[in-house]
Amino acid sequence: MEVQSGNPPKLNAVEGQDENVEMSFFRPPVVRLGAGAALNRALFTKKVDLAAAAIQNPKVISQYRKSLQTSKEILKVERISPIVPHPDEELGAQGRKCILLNPSVKAEEPKTWGPVIQEGIQKEDLTVIPYELTLEYDYWTARDTMESVLPPELHDEIPSGFNVAGHVAHLNLRDSYLPYKKIVADIILDKNSSIRTVINKVDNVGAESEFRTFQYEVLAGEDDLNVSCTENNCNFTFNYAKVYWNSKLESEHTRIINFFEPGEVVCDVMAGIGPFALPAGKRRVFVWANDKNPESFKCLESNIQKNKVQDFVRPFCADGLDFIRQATDEVLAASLKGEKVVITKSGPRPKSKKAEQPTSSGFVPESLRPVIMETYPVPPTISHFVMNLPASAIEFVGSFKGIYQWQENLFAPNTKTLLPLVHVHCFSLKADDERPRIDICERLTKYLGFTMKPGNKDYNLNGEGEVTIHNVRDVAPAKSMYCATFRLPATIAFATRD
């Protein structure tokens, strides 16, 4: 074990101070615990010798604080208040305060005292005294602490961007960090008040399980993966070890949901526990939501009820290849049967005085307000297909062939209805050029049986066979997740089913 105090070099007077040097006073001590060692929090205590302006009259503290800020003599460091109790216990008990000064000001060197301090001394408003500031483990940030513990060669990719699911922090540590995994986990647990469990993935999601679940080890905290989290105004409760959830996809969930309009039908082919389906249901969007994982299906059913979207969201547990056609047929059948959702709610309070006469106070009880009824009939066609299984979703697009066989009359130009938009998530090369777009379109062409090509960024401007490709996020140094959005070609939609 190696511990270094990290003592900084001496500073010049205020006029020539070097801020970088000044901040070195507030860097943590270097604590190299070694691979496999336990985290010793006591080693992170550091004492910083400063000067302080001891204020005689509490009424002038605010005045001197502003003046010292202007003259840049006050201590300005994140998470440290410059106003502190007097270090003398008796004076501190009397409520006397001090203003901490920046490290270039020395209590024993009057030549380092600026004009504000000099004037305050002349007026007998203050005196300059030594002040020992103690910084303990709790002061340092998680990154500060990890840089202090980990070898310098590991500082470039310190594990700070972990996934969070409720109270669980999910790490995916590279091999070089594994010898320090317990220390890293303890620091994350200490520095994040909402985290109670830290786990590390020990296999490859997707490669080992078709349901995108993973094997894990608990590195710190309790072994409890039953979590609850909120996204897009919906609450999700699930066992993180049994279903797929990625908190980093919230913005992508929101982006896709914003495509949907009330009264439309969405087919969520790989719905998981419902991050697209439940918020859509709250927006009065009909969702046929499917997931092949029985555990995901159970959570989806439960969360539909919990979030009170059962009128709009219907859960299924089927293979996605079959579900695309199943949902298409069921939506049409539901529409032909006249299925609908009727929402009844009280209207606004009447504005006229005459209408307010039922009560002496002018308040109109809800029972006496006008009733507003909103009716949402199930339309005959699906407006959007969402396929969020990036490892293999593209391979499912062949199921779109013939989904609307003999149903041309349901779509433009016979009606105003357009063919569905398909949103397919996939992985491809991380690159700024056209290679990922070309690769994705070639794969779509292969499985769809129709030539697809990169299109405009605005899908509404694309013609048949053109694809809008959105870069969702980087998932590895050379790999990114994308979403390909295209309007289902008529040739495919109206083809003869296999």
Side-chain angles (χ1 to χ4, degrees):
M1 180 186 71
E2 177 186 355
V3 180
Q4 300 173 11
S5 63
N7 290 329
K10 292 184 178 180
L11 298 177
N12 298 325
V14 176
E15 294 79 4
Q17 72 186 50
D18 183 331
E19 290 187 5
N20 291 328
V21 176
E22 176 183 334
M23 291 308 299
S24 68
F25 280 82
F26 301 93
R27 294 181 186 131
V30 176
V31 180
R32 301 286 185 244
L33 295 175
L39 181 64
N40 187 341
R41 295 162 182 82
L43 296 177
F44 291 86
T45 299
K46 181 177 183 179
K47 297 184 182 298
V48 181
D49 292 326
L50 298 171
I55 307 299
Q56 308 298 326
N57 183 355
K59 293 182 179 180
V60 299
I61 288 178
S62 178
Q63 169 194 330
Y64 277 100
R65 178 174 186 166
K66 291 179 181 178
S67 298
L68 290 168
Q69 284 175 338
T70 302
S71 67
K72 297 183 179 180
E73 296 171 88
I74 198 170
L75 180 69
K76 188 178 180 180
V77 178
E78 289 183 359
R79 306 184 309 281
I80 296 178
S81 172
I83 308 299
V84 295
H86 198 290
D88 182 277
E89 289 187 10
E90 184 176 343
L91 295 177
Q94 295 173 10
R96 292 275 294 276
K97 302 287 185 182
C98 293
I99 301 177
L100 297 180
L101 304 173
N102 75 51
S104 63
V105 181
K106 307 295 183 182
E108 67 281 4
E109 298 180 24
K111 66 180 181 180
T112 65
W113 303 350
V116 175
I117 296 175
Q118 298 281 6
E119 183 179 350
I121 291 173
Q122 290 178 2
K123 291 181 178 180
E124 298 185 350
D125 285 341
L126 60 83
T127 57
V128 179
I129 62 172
Y131 190 96
E132 185 179 74
L133 179 67
T134 301
L135 302 175
E136 297 182 330
Y137 173 78
D138 289 343
Y139 170 72
W140 314 111
T141 66
R143 186 171 187 89
D144 287 339
T145 312
M146 288 190 196
E147 286 184 349
S148 174
V149 171
L150 297 175
E153 61 269 20
L154 297 183
H155 288 185
D156 289 342
E157 297 182 8
I158 282 178
S160 56
F162 46 84
N163 286 331
V164 176
H167 66 272
V168 176
H170 171 197
L171 305 180
N172 186 12
L173 293 176
R174 298 181 185 276
D175 290 345
S176 54
Y177 290 90
L178 292 179
Y180 305 92
K181 61 185 180 181
K182 294 289 187 181
I183 291 177
V184 168
D186 283 338
I187 292 171
I188 289 173
L189 192 67
D190 290 342
K191 304 298 182 178
N192 295 273
S193 59
S194 62
I195 300 299
R196 302 199 309 272
T197 304
V198 182
I199 64 173
N200 183 47
K201 183 176 67 176
V202 296
D203 63 10
N204 185 12
V205 174
E208 301 296 332
S209 168
E210 64 174 319
F211 299 145
R212 293 188 286 178
T213 56
F214 57 91
Q215 297 297 315
Y216 68 93
E217 58 179 336
V218 177
L219 300 182
E222 55 196 73
D223 187 357
D224 176 16
L225 268 65
N226 291 305
V227 303
S228 179
C229 56
T230 300
E231 183 179 293
N232 281 313
N233 200 32
C234 294
N235 182 264
F236 299 87
T237 301
F238 54 95
N239 186 305
Y240 191 46
K242 296 180 179 180
V243 303
Y244 179 78
W245 179 266
N246 190 333
S247 58
K248 293 182 179 180
L249 292 176
E250 180 174 1
S251 60
E252 176 63 3
H253 297 154
T254 304
R255 188 185 72 87
I256 295 294
I257 291 165
N258 285 336
F259 278 97
F260 310 153
E261 296 293 338
E264 291 185 333
V265 178
V266 171
C267 176
D268 194 352
V269 184
M270 302 95 174
I273 63 172
F276 294 106
L278 270 59
K282 287 201 170 184
R283 296 175 64 151
R284 309 288 194 257
V285 175
F286 292 101
V287 185
W288 262 247
N290 172 71
D291 202 271
K292 189 177 179 181
N293 182 354
E295 289 295 334
S296 295
F297 173 71
K298 290 178 185 177
C299 290
L300 181 60
E301 280 190 310
S302 173
N303 288 322
I304 286 171
Q305 297 295 323
K306 180 180 298 184
N307 289 277
K308 300 180 180 179
V309 293
Q310 59 270 25
D311 288 340
F312 288 92
V313 183
R314 308 186 187 194
F316 300 86
C317 186
D319 188 290
L321 285 168
D322 301 324
F323 184 72
I324 290 172
R325 293 176 177 176
Q326 174 189 338
T328 305
D329 295 340
E330 289 189 6
V331 168
L332 178 56
S335 180
L336 292 174
K337 287 192 297 184
E339 293 186 20
K340 60 186 176 181
V341 173
V342 179
I343 297 175
T344 302
K345 61 182 181 180
S346 298
R349 296 182 185 181
K351 293 183 179 179
S352 68
K353 293 294 182 182
K354 185 177 181 180
E356 293 180 355
Q357 289 179 359
T359 63
S360 59
S361 65
F363 172 74
V364 180
E366 188 169 328
S367 60
L368 297 179
R369 296 181 191 176
V371 174
I372 296 176
M373 297 181 65
E374 295 179 355
T375 301
Y376 296 89
V378 176
T381 63
I382 294 172
S383 296
H384 299 268
F385 286 87
V386 179
M387 305 173 70
N388 183 28
L389 187 65
S392 60
I394 281 182
E395 300 171 14
F396 287 58
V397 298
S399 291
F400 287 111
K401 183 179 180 181
I403 61 169
Y404 286 114
Q405 178 184 2
W406 303 316
Q407 303 296 337
E408 292 93 331
N409 62 304
L410 297 175
F411 298 94
N414 302 298
T415 69
K416 294 182 179 180
T417 302
L418 299 177
L419 283 162
L421 277 177
V422 181
H423 310 275
V424 184
H425 289 92
C426 55
F427 295 127
S428 189
L429 176 71
K430 176 184 175 181
D432 296 328
D433 55 24
E434 290 295 298
R435 286 177 295 168
R437 289 156 56 89
I438 293 172
D439 167 62
I440 291 168
C441 288
E442 288 178 346
R443 287 151 61 198
L444 284 171
T445 297
K446 173 183 175 181
Y447 290 104
L448 192 61
F450 188 91
T451 300
M452 307 297 286
K453 58 185 178 180
N456 295 289
K457 292 184 178 180
D458 184 348
Y459 71 94
N460 284 319
L461 300 178
N462 287 338
E464 189 172 58
E466 293 186 345
V467 186
T468 296
I469 299 175
H470 173 74
N471 191 334
V472 177
R473 59 185 290 263
D474 297 337
V475 296
K479 180 180 178 182
S480 292
M481 176 180 173
Y482 298 88
C483 180
T485 296
F486 60 91
R487 184 107 24 212
L488 189 64
T491 303
I492 299 301
F494 304 137
T496 301
R497 291 191 182 182
D498 296 333

